[in-house]
Amino acid sequence: MSDPLALIVGVGDGLSAALARAFRAEGYRLALAARNVEKLGALAAETGASCHACDAADPAAVAGLFAALDAAPRVVVFNPSARQRGPLVDLDPEGVRHALTVTAFGAFLVGQAAARAMLAAEPSGGARGTILFTGASAGVKGFPQSAPFAMGKFAQRGLAQSMARELHPKGIHVAWINIDGGIRNPGRVEPPDAPDSMLDPDAIAQTYVALVKQHRSAWSEEIAVRPWVERF
């Protein structure tokens, strides 16, 4: 119970799993949240994490998630997002609504709950905690046939900027991480003739850890990570 708690929302077997391992290596206890917790068994066993079923776009589910934690988290990471691809004129409105609900409204719900928990906790060294949002290139520029994802990520980025300006003076560090490229995940790797042309999830995770360690006199509110060969 003496170790700080890190909550990761939207956990799978890629970046979020790398984040769990990285924060555990830094001495954090872990709480992992996902809609389907059955897939988290191996990661939970490896990291000693508690698992929590949660639909991040459901206000009651998010409230229940934070109520179930045994302490106020010092770190909260929001990963979920949803997409609907296709020509603008063919997009299904309900699919677009779902994408925005998960990516933007879900980020708001988790960000709000995290801020409430951190503000109610005792600060440590002048800081109360860190809230990190996993962004994407689409939050900086919209790509063709991907309007719902761009809408959601732009909204998420704006949320993070607003939260940072409100919460930084209260001791809560908020940052949005632009994952500016494809992530090397299980079953998705770069070609042999293009080494490190995709983002390594363990390397990305170290950037998250570095953000948490930043001194409050020089907090970043936004950072981009991208492969060394990226041209766009």
Side-chain angles (χ1 to χ4, degrees):
M1 290 291 292
S2 60
D3 293 335
L5 177 65
L7 168 64
I8 302 173
V9 179
V11 180
D13 59 1
L15 172 58
S16 50
L19 290 170
R21 296 185 185 101
F23 280 111
R24 185 69 192 97
E26 291 292 322
Y28 285 83
R29 294 183 301 113
L30 293 173
L32 308 178
R35 295 184 66 177
N36 176 15
V37 295
E38 294 180 4
K39 63 183 180 181
L40 303 181
L43 181 62
E46 176 187 349
T47 59
S50 62
C51 295
H52 306 265
C54 179
D55 179 351
D58 181 344
V62 172
L65 167 63
F66 279 82
L69 300 178
D70 59 22
R74 294 287 297 176
V75 174
V76 174
V77 180
F78 182 85
N79 284 312
S81 62
R83 303 177 185 236
Q84 188 192 26
R85 297 183 183 277
L88 181 72
V89 295
D90 296 333
L91 292 174
D92 171 45
E94 286 307 312
V96 175
R97 187 197 304 272
H98 173 73
L100 292 173
T101 299
V102 173
T103 308
F105 185 58
F108 160 74
L109 292 175
V110 171
Q112 181 188 57
R116 285 173 172 168
M118 292 175 182
L119 288 171
E122 289 296 323
S124 175
R128 296 181 182 273
T130 306
I131 304 171
L132 302 175
F133 296 95
T134 298
S137 312
V140 178
K141 53 187 174 184
F143 291 89
Q145 299 196 11
S146 189
F149 192 54
M151 293 161 68
K153 286 301 182 183
F154 262 83
Q156 189 185 87
R157 185 184 181 203
L159 168 69
Q161 290 179 357
S162 178
M163 288 177 61
R165 284 161 174 76
E166 179 178 346
L167 297 175
H168 280 192
K170 298 179 181 180
I172 298 175
H173 184 189
V174 181
W176 184 81
I177 299 92
N178 175 5
I179 310 298
D180 197 11
I183 301 176
R184 182 196 307 153
N185 282 330
R188 185 187 183 201
V189 298
E190 65 262 310
D193 61 348
D196 293 331
S197 59
M198 300 183 75
L199 288 146
D200 183 283
D202 293 321
I204 300 172
Q206 290 308 309
T207 295
Y208 283 63
V209 171
L211 282 166
V212 172
K213 290 182 174 182
Q214 282 184 331
H215 190 271
R216 63 179 178 173
S217 68
W219 274 348
S220 299
E221 70 163 36
E222 187 172 311
I223 192 168
V225 291
R226 63 197 317 230
W228 66 296
V229 293
E230 198 66 79
R231 292 189 176 90
F232 67 85

